[in-house]
Amino acid sequence: METSTTTLLLKDGRDKPVHNRHPWIFSGAIDRLKGDAQPGDLVTVADHRGTPLATAYYNPKSQIQARILSWDPAEPVDHDFWLRRLRRAVEARAMLGLVASGQLSVSSEEHGTEGRLATDYRPLTTACRLVNAEADGLPGLVVDRYGDHLVMQCLTLGIDRRKGMLANRLVELLQPAGILERSDADVRGKEGLKQVVEMRHGQAPPPEMTIHENGHAFLVDVWHGHKTGFYLDQRDNRAAAAQPTLLAGKEVLNVFAYTGAFGVYAAAAGARRIVQVDSSHPALEAAERNMALNGFDQPDDELIAGDAFEVLRYFREEGQQFDAIVLDPPKFAYSQGQVERACRGYKDLNWLALRLLRPGGLLVTFSCSGLVNADLFQKVVFGAAVDAGRDVQVLRHLGQSADHPVLLSFPESAYLKGLLCRVW
Ligand code: SAH
């Protein structure tokens, strides 16, 4: 069991976020440290009078100097603590039907049969997020499930120091075939950490795994793919957008396609033609293979490698039109100072897409920049609609999938937002 021997005293009037259960303590809120906590150690967070409020782990190298693990300063941070937190996270995914509590082994029921028909939808999903960091009470820790394997990402020093122990708890809880650590996210730099990709337990996952999502099969490279291999956060939105009633017989443009997940769903929903755009050649090759894996033909000349802005402009010049367009760009804003520029980018992009839609067409548009909130994003799309001279009806507000929960006391955990729109 770990104990805190240091008290982190907050400045007078700076304890409100802690009372409101926000897990981050910024350097500016700290008065002083009583004790000799080393980077990564536990500290007791106290108000300016010395009343203990919470237990956190500490990293003086980061602007976020402490991240709260428990709002009960008397709660022991021991073996059971970590197990309880992990179990609570996994249980939420079990409630969503994304994992059988207590085991990961992919059952034949989960896999279903191969060679299914395009219209045969199955709620079969073998990849999901199991631990979503702060939003699951485990700041800095991400754990994703890909079939029998787990991929963990340690984003903070406090978690990095405990990763061996955490991997052991995950093994106790889930008996995975293997645990790969994919700690190659840029944010580690802010914590003074280098990038690490290595096995933490068991068998190494193959260079290419097949996972299933809502009955569709996808090839995933958990060693090198974006994030931990796949954009799991878009699962619910793919399902929402790719309804046969919305897409059957339609011409679909999938922009920022990555490995073509929206494209596969669109094909399964009966889309007549799917054009996929991404700046990455390898991603588009994977998109083609993912289409084939699900029994769909993806003509080569409808995979377009290039800059999305340029390709959309070119389509306009060519007079191309579509019935549905998906826009899922990478993060545009990494800091408050970039928000204005990011919004200009979103506006341009949506304006370019709106001009390619046939009357009554669908725009499925996203932003994964946490700093651009849902209201602001909607305003930006509105601005694009005005400039394009189009009427836009929002049919659905979209967000990150349910296995990426948003903690109410931590609004920063809501980062992905989207609009499913009909355009006239
Ligand atoms: N929709 C995808 C995820 C998209 S991630 C899915 O559901 O899996 C964003 C993608 O945008 C990445 O694949 C990246 O290669 C691509 N990208 C980044 N900048 C781009 C640009 N300027 N033009 C086209 N693609 C770009």
Side-chain angles (χ1 to χ4, degrees):
M1 174 172 134
E2 292 185 70
T3 46
S4 142
T5 55
T6 297
T7 302
L8 184 157
L9 287 152
L10 296 173
K11 288 180 185 160
D12 192 1
R14 299 300 289 269
D15 51 336
K16 189 153 179 247
V18 180
H19 287 294
N20 285 342
R21 295 191 167 231
H22 193 283
W24 289 353
I25 314 268
F26 287 96
S27 51
I30 299 171
D31 180 22
R32 69 200 146 91
L33 229 60
K34 255 174 46 190
D36 59 353
Q38 299 302 301
D41 283 356
L42 295 185
V43 292
T44 301
V45 179
D47 66 14
H48 72 289
R49 285 182 299 266
T51 312
L53 304 174
T55 303
Y57 63 69
Y58 171 66
N59 182 4
K61 288 202 193 84
S62 172
Q63 268 193 36
I64 304 167
Q65 290 212 353
R67 294 184 199 233
I68 293 176
L69 290 168
S70 172
W71 277 270
D72 173 3
E75 183 177 16
V77 179
D78 54 8
H79 177 283
D80 280 0
F81 170 85
W82 298 103
L83 202 57
R84 272 199 311 278
R85 283 296 157 93
L86 292 169
R87 188 177 289 129
R88 190 165 94 184
V90 172
E91 275 169 7
R93 280 64 180 182
M95 290 174 81
L96 296 167
L98 294 170
V99 64
S101 207
Q103 58 97 28
L104 281 183
S105 232
V106 179
S107 65
S108 52
E109 193 188 319
E110 260 185 330
H111 260 316
T113 46
E114 298 299 328
R116 73 196 72 72
L117 295 171
T119 51
D120 183 8
Y121 270 78
R122 273 163 229 252
L124 308 174
T125 299
T126 61
C128 71
R129 176 146 300 183
L130 292 178
V131 178
N132 195 32
E134 273 80 348
D136 277 301
L138 289 162
L141 178 67
V142 166
V143 183
D144 289 342
R145 173 207 180 191
Y146 290 93
D148 299 346
H149 282 82
L150 298 179
V151 180
M152 74 189 283
Q153 225 169 24
C154 306
L155 303 172
T156 58
L157 177 72
I159 289 298
D160 199 73
R161 257 196 30 184
R162 294 170 177 85
K163 63 191 177 188
M165 176 275 295
L166 287 165
N168 290 339
R169 295 297 84 80
L170 287 166
V171 172
E172 264 173 67
L173 197 61
L174 295 161
Q175 297 91 49
I179 303 178
L180 169 66
E181 182 186 353
R182 265 297 296 275
S183 293
D184 52 354
D186 290 338
V187 289
R188 275 171 66 94
K190 296 189 183 177
E191 291 272 318
L193 297 167
K194 294 203 178 65
Q195 306 205 345
V196 180
V197 177
E198 61 188 25
M199 287 306 297
R200 293 251 76 84
H201 166 81
Q203 297 159 17
E208 197 165 74
M209 304 178 71
T210 303
I211 58 124
H212 288 78
E213 193 185 87
N214 290 312
H216 311 300
F218 294 98
L219 299 167
V220 176
D221 176 354
V222 292
W223 290 88
H224 308 100
H226 290 187
K227 295 202 178 206
T228 58
F230 199 64
Y231 287 88
L232 301 167
D233 53 355
Q234 285 286 21
R235 181 191 322 101
D236 292 355
N237 300 327
R238 292 180 191 122
Q243 297 294 323
T245 50
L246 295 174
L247 295 186
K250 307 288 186 181
E251 288 186 86
V252 177
L253 177 61
N254 182 21
V255 190
F256 306 97
Y258 188 48
T259 56
F262 275 101
V264 167
Y265 276 70
R272 174 161 60 87
R273 174 182 175 227
I274 299 158
V275 178
Q276 314 212 51
V277 180
D278 201 281
S279 54
S280 156
H281 280 279
L284 288 176
E285 276 162 30
E288 186 171 8
R289 294 168 63 221
N290 278 328
M291 287 291 246
L293 186 66
N294 290 278
F296 304 116
D297 181 44
Q298 171 71 68
D300 253 358
D301 57 353
E302 300 197 333
L303 290 172
I304 299 170
D307 172 62
F309 293 82
E310 284 173 22
V311 174
L312 294 178
R313 267 186 216 107
Y314 172 74
F315 281 162
R316 168 77 179 186
E317 283 160 23
E318 273 206 321
Q320 292 234 27
Q321 290 203 301
F322 296 90
D323 302 303
I325 302 181
V326 179
L327 295 177
D328 185 20
K331 192 165 163 177
F332 284 172
Y334 286 87
S335 65
Q336 198 56 48
Q338 296 174 346
V339 168
E340 214 182 296
R341 218 176 136 237
C343 287
R344 277 202 299 276
Y346 289 126
K347 186 174 168 187
D348 279 355
L349 193 60
N350 282 277
W351 176 76
L352 288 164
L354 284 167
R355 299 193 317 161
L356 298 176
L357 277 172
R358 295 196 175 99
L362 292 176
L363 176 68
V364 191
T365 180
F366 296 98
S367 158
C368 62
S369 304
L371 292 162
V372 176
N373 68 30
D375 279 353
L376 179 54
F377 183 58
Q378 185 163 323
K379 286 197 183 99
V380 168
V381 177
F382 165 63
V386 170
D387 286 4
R390 307 292 300 257
D391 286 326
V392 178
Q393 299 171 296
V394 176
L395 304 185
R396 279 183 204 280
H397 285 89
L398 304 172
Q400 60 221 45
S401 297
D403 53 341
H404 294 61
V406 174
L407 190 65
L408 283 183
S409 58
F410 183 59
E412 291 87 341
S413 51
Y415 64 97
L416 180 62
K417 76 279 327 166
L419 300 168
L420 171 66
C421 305
R422 192 154 190 235
V423 178
W424 289 96

